[in-house]
Amino acid sequence: MYNGEIKMKKTALLIFVLLLIQTASVFAQTQQKDALVLYHNGKYKESVQVCEEELKENPNRIDSYVVMCWSLVKNKQYAEAEQRATEGLAVSAYDLRLIEILGEARYYLGKNNGAMEQFQKYVANANESSSRLGTAYYFMGEIYIRQARYQHADIALSSAVKKEPLYENWWIRLGYAREMAGNYLEALEAYDEALRLNPSSVDASRGRDRVKEKIK
């Protein structure tokens, strides 16, 4: 009877230990998802901290670099985002997520040529279902506007609104690029679409009034 009780206790202890291991494994898996959850909840600094901890455990964890850089850009820490994206690309040179976010970081730092290089690389390799394709085209358009290359901006921004047609600001910027290029009828179409999406848009309304005056 005594030996039987010992065996039962050992079995119960073994089950308990196994449950602890399983719980710890589930907890670890949950922790791995925390950075992305924090990012989606707008808690960018906390997301970065979680990613830092993940990279200490595994310096080659690409998803941690990606979420960290997304969070850094959202938190307007553009120099840090550029640095960490570059580090991530040293681990995985063809990760399109890092290529695109590096473009964004460099765009906000005013590094137009470096940003354009990344966006061009992204659109050349991304497939049509890539979630950031429209965004990449949009930033390319903005860079072309900075460079006063308005016809190129028209092409890039037209591609952007084709991918994401519900962003009124993208239509406004397309209208502006066309206006600056002297394509007033096409500019009017873009401003009209922006106003269709948001009838109270002051920028779209002013742009529409400007090009209507030039069409007369």
Side-chain angles (χ1 to χ4, degrees):
M1 186 72 175
Y2 179 72
N3 289 336
E5 288 180 357
I6 291 177
K7 288 181 178 179
M8 288 179 63
K9 288 181 179 179
K10 285 183 176 179
T11 301
L13 180 60
L14 179 60
I15 293 172
F16 178 71
V17 170
L18 289 173
L19 285 172
L20 280 179
I21 293 171
Q22 185 178 16
T23 302
S25 176
V26 171
F27 179 75
Q29 292 174 12
T30 303
Q31 284 295 94
Q32 289 177 355
K33 298 178 183 178
D34 276 355
L36 186 58
V37 171
L38 289 166
Y39 167 77
H40 285 306
N41 289 336
K43 298 179 179 180
Y44 305 125
K45 287 185 178 180
E46 294 176 47
S47 177
V48 170
Q49 290 172 354
V50 172
C51 290
E52 292 281 13
E53 291 300 319
E54 291 173 347
L55 287 170
K56 286 179 182 177
E57 295 178 5
N58 180 4
N60 295 327
R61 184 179 167 83
I62 293 300
D63 286 348
S64 298
Y65 279 111
V66 172
V67 178
M68 176 188 290
C69 291
W70 287 346
S71 298
L72 287 169
V73 167
K74 284 291 187 181
N75 209 42
K76 300 182 179 181
Q77 295 174 258
Y78 306 125
E80 292 90 336
E82 180 186 30
Q83 177 186 343
R84 300 317 295 267
T86 302
E87 291 172 5
L89 286 168
V91 176
S92 180
Y94 302 104
D95 191 288
L96 289 178
R97 299 167 300 173
L98 286 174
I99 288 170
E100 192 278 330
I101 199 63
L102 177 57
E104 288 192 36
R106 288 179 173 170
Y107 169 84
Y108 287 115
L109 289 169
K111 299 180 178 181
N112 294 330
N113 292 335
M116 181 64 76
E117 180 184 356
Q118 297 303 311
F119 291 129
Q120 288 176 336
K121 190 182 299 184
Y122 180 83
V123 301
N125 291 282
N127 58 50
E128 286 299 310
S129 62
S130 297
S131 62
R132 305 289 289 178
L133 192 55
T135 300
Y137 280 125
Y138 165 74
F139 280 111
M140 290 171 69
E142 289 289 359
I143 292 169
Y144 284 131
I145 287 175
R146 287 178 176 180
Q147 297 171 337
R149 300 169 68 185
Y150 299 116
Q151 297 285 7
H152 286 75
D154 184 346
I155 294 169
L157 290 167
S158 293
S159 298
V161 297
K162 183 178 180 181
K163 296 299 297 181
E164 302 284 352
L166 301 180
Y167 291 157
E168 67 176 271
N169 186 58
W170 292 13
W171 285 101
I172 293 170
R173 299 303 285 164
L174 175 57
Y176 178 77
R178 290 174 172 178
E179 181 184 352
M180 292 297 100
N183 301 325
Y184 301 128
L185 288 175
E186 292 85 352
L188 184 62
E189 291 175 0
Y191 287 132
D192 281 342
E193 182 61 24
L195 286 167
R196 188 187 70 79
L197 292 169
N198 180 10
S200 63
S201 172
V202 174
D203 289 336
S205 182
R206 288 175 177 171
R208 186 177 186 275
D209 291 342
R210 284 196 308 270
V211 295
K212 285 186 71 176
E213 284 296 318
K214 293 172 182 175
I215 290 171
K216 289 181 179 179

